[in-house]
Amino acid sequence: MSHNGSSVSASELEVMRHSAAHILAKAVQRLYPGSKLGIGPVIENGFYYDIDIPSRVGDEDLPRIEAEMRDIVAAAEPFKREEWSKDQALQHYASAEDDNPYKREIIEALAEDEPISFYWTGPDWVDLCRGPHVANSSQLKAFKLTNVAGAYWRGDERRPMLQRIYGTAWQDQDQLDHYLALVEDARRRDHRRIGKELGLFMFSDLVGPGLPLWLPRGATIRRELERWVTDLELERGYQHVITPDVAKVEMYKVSGHWAHYQDSMFPVMHAGEEELVLRPMNCPHHIQIYQYEQRSYRELPMRIAEFGTMWRYEKSGELSGLSRVRRMDLNDAHIFCTPDQIQDEIVGVVELIEDVYRVLGISDHWYRLSLWDPNDKEKYVDNPEMWERGERYLKEAMARLGLDYVEAPGEAAFYGPKIDIQLRDPLGHSETISTIQVDFHLPNQFQLEYVGEDGQFHRPVMIHRGVIGTLVRMIAYLIEKYGGAFPLWLAPVQAVVIPIADRHVDYASGVAAKLRKAGFRVEVDSRREKMQAKIRDAQAQQVPYMLVVGDRDQQAGTVSVRERREGDLGASPLDEFVAVMQARREDRT
Ligand code: TSB
Ligand code: ZN
């Protein structure tokens, strides 16, 4: 995607990573005779090779394989390209020394008359490969094998499972070290890990994959976010509604979801005479509310909002903690407006998103203009004029806002182009949280109308938008961003009162009661543990305030305040401290 010189070095790096995959495969075949190679592509930050290895290989075997790779690098083996005919290639992979059904399958699918390229690494090892490669194995300077996973041949669970060995490779040791440090940081911040440590959410085998269960502390974070955003929306003229998360299949036939989005939907439920389906999106339901009455231009723009529950049958291999799930609540709204109002509405949504991000401390986001792919008739409604019009509106709004964006063909919704707001995780992967979409399609499908100033019927336009996106994905992101240290207003437990001895428990309970009355989430740690241990535990739970109370506090009506980052802040009269907490909660920093 880069337009400058760095794209050149990026592809150099790719070549090196690809050569690293070959060196890995050669090392594995040396150590585990009889290993049959599958495919070994370059991926982001590194490479992998899928290999059918006669014995099971685990992460503990990686150092040995790495050492073997180092020998190959030290031997400075040249990479040499050769072209074979299809027959020669097939013969090679049918021979006793390199009998390989996987490679034969790949070759069978290639054209009859075109030569097939092979790459030698040293005089004794060859692999089917398009290339290009480094000239010599000694050019591989800095690499590391990272993990092993099972991978079905061709991703098909009915085919054999091979072992996929992952590695990372870089220009030099510094770059490798930097990357490994990032990986370590990402591991520490991983929302799945922190979610467990802080007791935020869980999954259950009996409930099923991609279906998170929120524990009380996680539910608290959700509730706070939901209340906050709902209030912001009410201030801005949104009307909140509540609609069911199933509907008749018929509705999705009208909307076009059935034709373009069925792959992501759960199977249909046959209930008596009815055919019902879990909704993958909230739009058609909101459209029903729009159509409940005849609408006039005076009611527009009409902003119908809901934290709407959606169900998407995501592939099991793509599920990932809270970031990609099968049941989610979207901070959704559908704005019904006249064509003249589109610009202002888009601008208003972007401003709302920027306000929300400012409070959450999000500043490294970027805008992506997600466009259709005219060649993909299955995914997209075939109406070039409509796509062009939507794109124009979005571009004009971005120009008005003075915002830069990156264009991404093939990322649009089936019904219209989008502005997606992209966020990066610690390893630099980007994902969409907020989205703004212009849609001329659904209003047509449902024959939407309003009565204009002229007394005639007109067709409104729809803007679909999510501000904090789905609560799951946003919370996964926030857990990683804050490393579990949520700002006071979102922290599931905002203060722990720690009595020094048993005789302080009553006073501690009084302090907690007072804070609870002021609306805070407070716990009293009355366990018979040392004060230091209690502080350590509260600190590990990332609780913003620890209020230690002993004889002196009890007599003076104070609390000895410890803040999770600043440490000991000294004694403070309880009333004063409640006011400090209130102020901090209010400005949400
Ligand atoms: C904005 N109809 C629109 C809505 O009105 C819509 O559903 N758009 S969407 O398909 O792009 O989804 C909105 C957002 O939901 C995405 O931007 C993404 O942040 C989030 N999302 C999508 N799929 C998942 C998933 N499987 N798990 C978690 N979040 C998801
Ligand atoms: Zn929608």
Side-chain angles (χ1 to χ4, degrees):
M1 209 149 2
S2 151
H3 303 290
N4 51 31
S6 73
S7 62
V8 175
S9 56
S11 71
E12 255 171 44
L13 201 51
E14 273 168 26
V15 169
M16 203 172 62
R17 286 172 178 157
H18 193 180
S19 301
H22 279 226
I23 293 170
L24 162 64
K26 180 168 180 175
V28 169
Q29 286 197 314
R30 274 206 209 159
L31 291 172
Y32 305 92
S35 291
K36 297 184 197 313
L37 306 181
I39 55 161
V42 172
I43 51 172
E44 200 185 355
N45 302 320
F47 58 91
Y48 68 74
Y49 217 119
D50 285 348
I51 310 178
D52 187 347
I53 307 175
S55 55
R56 228 199 71 81
V57 168
D59 288 351
E60 65 284 0
D61 300 305
L62 296 181
R64 207 171 131 233
I65 301 173
E66 239 175 66
E68 193 72 19
M69 288 173 74
R70 257 184 221 105
D71 284 349
I72 297 168
V73 171
E77 298 189 329
F79 275 76
K80 203 171 115 266
R81 184 187 165 98
E82 221 166 70
E83 287 183 350
W84 298 0
S85 69
K86 188 167 178 173
D87 267 353
Q88 272 176 302
L90 285 172
Q91 257 170 35
H92 172 83
Y93 284 120
S95 68
E97 8 8 310
D98 207 354
D99 176 33
N100 187 324
Y102 308 110
K103 298 285 186 189
R104 288 202 302 267
E105 189 177 322
I106 297 171
I107 294 164
E108 294 290 2
L110 298 177
E112 213 53 57
D113 40 5
E114 272 173 47
I116 298 171
S117 69
F118 277 74
Y119 274 84
W120 290 90
T121 304
D124 58 338
W125 191 87
V126 73
D127 191 6
L128 167 71
C129 182
R130 215 177 285 128
H133 279 283
V134 296
N136 192 292
S137 65
S138 64
Q139 282 166 262
L140 190 60
K141 292 286 190 290
F143 66 93
K144 188 171 165 54
L145 298 180
T146 51
N147 62 304
V148 188
Y152 291 108
W153 174 240
R154 304 246 138 139
D156 181 344
E157 59 216 57
R158 290 161 305 188
R159 312 287 309 266
M161 184 184 282
L162 314 193
Q163 301 197 54
R164 176 171 297 178
I165 303 179
Y166 286 97
T168 183
W170 297 85
Q171 222 92 47
D172 55 41
Q173 191 64 35
D174 276 357
Q175 277 187 16
L176 175 62
D177 289 345
H178 176 74
Y179 173 73
L180 293 175
L182 281 182
V183 171
E184 176 53 24
D185 182 55
R187 196 187 60 80
R188 256 187 284 115
R189 290 172 177 273
D190 191 320
H191 74 274
R192 288 165 296 192
R193 176 193 159 95
I194 293 180
K196 201 172 278 167
E197 281 169 8
L198 301 190
L200 302 179
F201 61 89
M202 60 171 279
F203 288 91
S204 149
D205 283 343
L206 284 177
V207 174
L211 300 169
L213 290 85
W214 292 91
L215 298 168
R217 293 182 174 190
T220 298
I221 298 172
R222 267 184 61 128
R223 191 172 57 247
E224 288 293 336
L225 281 170
E226 186 171 341
R227 282 182 182 163
W228 173 56
V229 175
T230 302
D231 285 346
L232 289 178
E233 288 172 345
L234 293 174
E235 276 170 29
R236 286 165 168 79
Y238 286 84
Q239 311 183 62
H240 271 259
V241 299
I242 296 170
T243 58
D245 36 335
V246 287
K248 290 188 189 165
V249 169
E250 213 179 307
M251 181 160 75
Y252 299 102
K253 289 189 176 156
V254 175
S255 67
H257 284 83
W258 200 246
H260 299 286
Y261 205 71
Q262 211 183 122
D263 282 355
S264 304
M265 292 169 71
F266 273 76
V268 172
M269 286 175 262
H270 298 275
E273 300 287 279
E274 284 168 320
E275 288 195 324
L276 297 171
V277 70
L278 289 165
R279 68 171 168 201
M281 292 191 193
N282 307 313
C283 352
H285 283 83
H286 291 180
I287 288 174
Q288 301 314 299
I289 289 183
Y290 179 87
Q291 288 185 304
Y292 174 62
E293 284 178 298
Q294 189 180 88
R295 305 295 177 183
S296 139
Y297 71 96
R298 281 189 222 89
E299 293 173 85
L300 307 185
M302 185 171 198
R303 310 181 183 97
I304 297 180
E306 178 177 13
F307 272 82
T309 305
M310 316 191 294
W311 300 78
R312 294 186 183 176
Y313 196 70
E314 307 282 5
K315 293 195 190 73
S316 57
E318 286 171 8
L319 297 172
S320 158
L322 291 184
S323 313
R324 187 173 285 274
V325 298
R326 287 180 171 166
R327 185 247 182 234
M328 63 210 93
D329 301 287
L330 177 65
N331 165 220
D332 206 353
H334 295 94
I335 304 175
F336 300 83
C337 63
T338 68
D340 289 349
Q341 294 167 335
I342 299 178
Q343 292 298 333
D344 283 351
E345 288 304 305
I346 296 173
V347 169
V349 174
V350 171
E351 284 169 356
L352 175 56
I353 291 170
E354 289 288 345
D355 284 351
V356 162
Y357 281 18
R358 205 169 304 119
V359 172
L360 295 173
I362 299 170
S363 57
D364 58 350
H365 54 295
W366 52 279
Y367 288 81
R368 183 179 81 181
L369 180 62
S370 302
L371 305 171
W372 73 317
D373 172 358
N375 300 319
D376 194 340
K377 298 274 188 302
E378 207 170 301
K379 190 168 163 194
Y380 296 112
V381 173
D382 191 13
N383 182 347
E385 187 275 332
M386 172 192 97
W387 287 99
E388 211 225 293
R389 201 144 71 99
E391 186 180 327
R392 212 168 48 233
Y393 277 108
L394 289 174
K395 282 185 170 164
E396 279 166 22
M398 293 303 274
R400 208 171 115 189
L401 285 155
L403 288 170
D404 287 336
Y405 54 84
V406 175
E407 290 189 19
E411 295 285 350
F414 77 80
Y415 44 76
K418 321 186 267 178
I419 293 171
D420 288 323
I421 294 96
Q422 304 296 108
L423 288 171
R424 275 188 200 91
D425 73 5
L427 283 180
H429 306 127
S430 80
E431 58 180 3
T432 307
I433 297 232
S434 315
T435 183
I436 310 169
Q437 315 169 351
V438 176
D439 176 10
F440 301 103
H441 176 70
L442 293 182
N444 265 340
Q445 295 302 104
F446 287 94
Q447 305 274 305
L448 299 188
E449 289 174 336
Y450 65 90
V451 179
E453 233 174 325
D454 56 4
Q456 305 290 310
F457 286 112
H458 298 272
R459 181 132 300 157
V461 183
M462 275 174 79
I463 297 171
H464 307 236
R465 48 107 281 188
V467 172
I468 55 173
T470 48
L471 285 161
V472 266
R473 190 172 284 183
M474 178 53 107
I475 291 175
Y477 174 82
L478 291 178
I479 292 173
E480 298 188 358
K481 173 178 174 55
Y482 300 138
F486 283 90
L488 184 69
W489 71 284
L490 284 177
V493 179
Q494 295 167 310
V496 176
V497 189
I498 300 176
I500 292 179
D502 276 353
R503 64 178 180 283
H504 307 122
V505 169
D506 278 353
Y507 178 64
S509 304
V511 169
K514 182 133 194 189
L515 282 162
R516 281 195 197 110
K517 203 139 180 244
F520 287 104
R521 300 179 285 270
V522 188
E523 287 178 1
V524 178
D525 188 350
S526 54
R527 291 175 304 161
R528 284 234 161 103
E529 294 279 345
K530 288 242 165 51
M531 180 188 74
Q532 289 311 331
K534 293 182 187 179
I535 291 179
R536 213 181 313 117
D537 290 348
Q539 193 78 42
Q541 288 291 304
Q542 315 258 30
V543 177
Y545 287 111
M546 288 146 266
L547 308 176
V548 180
V549 296
D551 289 332
R552 232 178 301 150
D553 296 297
Q554 197 163 318
Q555 275 149 27
T558 58
V559 288
S560 298
V561 182
R562 256 190 95 82
E563 205 270 350
R564 73 184 159 204
R565 283 216 186 86
E566 294 159 51
D568 193 356
L569 299 179
S572 163
L574 182 55
D575 287 339
E576 274 176 33
F577 180 67
V578 172
V580 168
M581 275 183 77
Q582 278 168 330
R584 201 171 149 196
R585 176 176 58 189
E586 216 128 292
D587 70 39
R588 295 197 162 81
T589 47

